[in-house]
């Protein structure tokens, strides 16, 4: 004698399985992309790679970036991407994005992976100042690298995603520019991509205004260090 299942139970179970699949699919895809981006791979023959280019100073510390661009570029100026590593503002390395950087460079994008000062030694807004300096440097050297200064975007993961979004929404906040270099050039980006970005969540306190800026408070040592 067969067992008869309640059709409602079957529908509920199917819905749960589909929901899990929909949630896991982008997570697994993102994990794969991040894993691939962190592999220490040499640049392909089609990419011109410059490592350790000084783009500014954070206090008394030289700030460096790695730049990748296609060796054979299409006619006209190229879009550019500023890539910002994660690590809870306390760790990480600009080389974390080399894999993805080379992939985008092969597609015709000038990509820079940037170093920035880390917490807790360097407090907010040092990190924002540094990535803004990187954008200004890229715009200042647009002619040298064939970059279209009107098509500079930012991409980051985790803490880097937060900094990419800060670039996107603070182009008019002069108090966040810092004095790292390339003064007189804009730190504006036309787009920002944030993977696993720190935004509002059930574990974050409400955003409150602090000295004219909107700064949130969140549980966790990383946020306190930042």
């Amino acid at each position: 004698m067969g067992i008869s299942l309640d059709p409602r139970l079957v529908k509920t179970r199917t819905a749960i399985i589909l929901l899990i699949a929909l949630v896991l699919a982008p997570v697994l895809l993102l994990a794969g992309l991040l894993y691939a981006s962190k592999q220490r791979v040499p640049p392909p023959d089609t990419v011109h790679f410059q490592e350790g280019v000084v783009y500014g100073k954070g206090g008394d510390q030289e700030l460096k970036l790695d730049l990748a661009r296609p060796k054979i570029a299409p006619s006209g100026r190229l879009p550019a991407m500023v890539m910002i590593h994660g690590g809870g503002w306390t760790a990480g390395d600009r080389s974390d994005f080399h894999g993805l950087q080379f992939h985008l460079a092969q597609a015709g994008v000038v990509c820079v992976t940037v170093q920035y000062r880390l917490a807790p030694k360097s407090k907010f807004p040092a990190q924002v100042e540094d990535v803004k300096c990187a954008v200004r440097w890229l715009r200042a050297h647009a002619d040298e690298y064939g970059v279209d200064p009107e098509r500079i975007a930012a991409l980051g993961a985790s803490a880097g995603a937060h900094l990419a979004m800060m670039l996107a929404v603070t182009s008019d906040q002069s108090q966040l520019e810092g004095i790292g270099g390339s003064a007189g050039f804009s730190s504006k980006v036309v787009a920002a991509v944030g993977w696993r970005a720190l935004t509002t969540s059930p574990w974050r306190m409400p955003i409150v205004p602090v000295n004219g800026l909107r700064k949130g408070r969140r549980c966790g040592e990383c946020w306190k260090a930042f």
Side-chain angles (χ1 to χ4, degrees):
M1 182 176 180
I3 299 175
S4 178
L5 295 177
D6 188 332
R8 292 174 299 178
L9 179 61
V10 174
K11 288 183 178 180
T12 300
R13 182 181 297 175
T14 302
I16 292 174
I17 293 173
L18 288 174
L19 179 61
I20 293 173
L22 288 172
V23 170
L24 286 181
V27 172
L28 291 174
L29 175 61
L30 175 58
L33 287 171
L34 291 176
Y35 176 79
S37 72
K38 290 188 176 184
Q39 301 311 296
R40 300 299 190 265
V41 294
D45 294 336
T46 55
V47 169
H48 183 71
F49 183 57
Q50 294 173 257
E51 194 169 12
V53 179
V54 176
Y55 72 83
K57 294 196 73 172
D60 59 356
Q61 176 183 350
E62 285 190 338
L63 301 171
K64 299 180 180 180
L65 58 79
D66 300 336
L67 186 147
R69 56 194 171 106
K71 285 185 177 179
I72 302 177
S75 60
R77 291 180 177 262
L78 301 177
M81 181 76 75
V82 176
M83 309 180 78
I84 311 168
H85 69 79
W89 305 282
T90 64
D93 190 90
R94 65 181 187 272
S95 63
D96 289 348
F97 266 131
H98 277 176
L100 183 57
Q101 179 184 28
F102 299 152
H103 178 75
L104 292 176
Q106 286 181 298
V109 181
V110 178
C111 294
V112 295
T113 57
V114 301
Q115 164 197 6
Y116 56 88
R117 287 172 288 173
L118 300 176
K121 181 179 179 180
S122 298
K123 300 290 187 181
F124 178 89
Q127 297 78 14
V128 180
E129 292 174 353
D130 294 349
V131 295
K132 280 180 167 288
C133 181
V135 177
R136 293 197 307 269
W137 180 91
L138 191 54
R139 193 163 269 122
H141 291 80
D143 290 342
E144 180 180 353
Y145 295 109
V147 169
D148 183 347
E150 300 302 318
R151 291 194 292 163
I152 298 176
L155 177 151
S158 190
H162 167 262
L163 295 175
M165 290 188 296
M166 288 292 286
L167 283 173
V169 300
T170 62
S171 60
D172 60 345
Q173 301 291 321
S174 60
Q175 67 268 43
L176 294 176
E177 291 295 329
I179 54 173
S182 301
F185 290 88
S186 172
S187 64
K188 180 181 179 180
V189 296
V190 296
V193 179
W195 287 343
R196 297 179 295 138
L198 176 61
T199 55
T200 55
S201 75
W203 299 278
R204 183 175 175 183
M205 300 296 287
I207 297 176
V208 295
V210 178
N211 295 329
L213 299 176
R214 291 175 62 80
K215 181 178 179 182
R217 295 178 58 197
R218 181 183 184 275
C219 297
E221 292 303 315
C222 289
W223 187 254
K224 291 178 183 177
F226 182 66

